[in-house]
Amino acid sequence: WLGIPFRDVASIDEAVGDAGVVALANSAREVLLWPRQLQPGALVIDVSEEQLAPEFVTRAQAVFVTWEGVANNPIPREPFSTPIKAGAFTRDHLAAELGAVIAGTADPRRRPQDLVVYVLTAAHVHDLAMAQWAYDWARSTGVGTPFGLTGA
């Protein structure tokens, strides 16, 4: 697929056991991933909901798009929402916000073996990528109706 080699595996353990990067992007509503399944230093990118085990709260360096995006979101962003509401996970526990990482002013990885989790569930960055793709495709194939968003 897209020229990238892949292989079928029989389990999540087999899929992530030797992976340096793991992306969770599916519609399951159950815990699918535990820190013990990952190699030291792994990076997890989470755009799902409720699929990370509660142990990620204490065993990983977490990066949120923004603190408020998770802490004040009316849709629970587990495993972080419950400890945030209980005061057990505070802004001080957050390794970094995404903007600071992008700007190069924060590095969530304190040691090479740190497990780092990017919680992108409230970011909608994938929506922007899909919208850009759809726009580019429509322009290149000549479909759709052009319109302006301003009066100019």
Side-chain angles (χ1 to χ4, degrees), residues 10-93:
S11 69
I12 293 173
D13 286 337
E14 189 178 351
V16 303
D18 62 351
V21 177
V22 174
L24 286 173
N26 62 74
S27 60
R29 293 283 191 240
E30 61 186 294
V31 173
L32 298 176
L33 192 64
W34 284 261
R36 68 179 178 272
Q37 294 171 290
L38 302 169
Q39 66 178 349
L43 167 66
V44 176
I45 300 170
D46 180 24
V47 296
S48 63
E49 294 179 27
E50 303 176 20
Q51 295 176 10
L52 296 175
E55 291 85 355
F56 276 95
V57 174
T58 57
R59 302 229 2 240
Q61 299 294 327
V63 176
F64 296 171
V65 175
T66 64
W67 170 258
E68 292 77 13
V70 175
N72 301 330
N73 199 311
I75 300 169
R77 302 299 181 183
E78 298 302 350
F80 294 96
S81 293
T82 298
I84 288 171
K85 285 182 178 43
F89 188 88
T90 67
R91 185 185 287 269
D92 290 337
H93 294 102

Side-chain angles (χ1 to χ4, degrees), residues 79-145:
F80 294 96
S81 293
T82 298
I84 288 171
K85 285 182 178 43
F89 188 88
T90 67
R91 185 185 287 269
D92 290 337
H93 294 102
L94 188 65
E97 289 187 337
L98 184 60
V101 175
I102 292 169
T105 59
D107 182 357
R109 191 176 304 282
R110 309 295 193 252
R111 301 167 306 180
Q113 68 270 24
D114 280 348
L115 177 62
V116 176
V117 177
Y118 279 72
V119 179
L120 303 179
T121 55
H124 308 293
V125 293
H126 45 288
D127 296 337
L128 292 173
M130 182 58 91
Q132 184 66 52
W133 173 86
Y135 174 78
D136 292 343
W137 176 83
R139 297 260 328 201
S140 69
T141 59
V143 300
T145 303

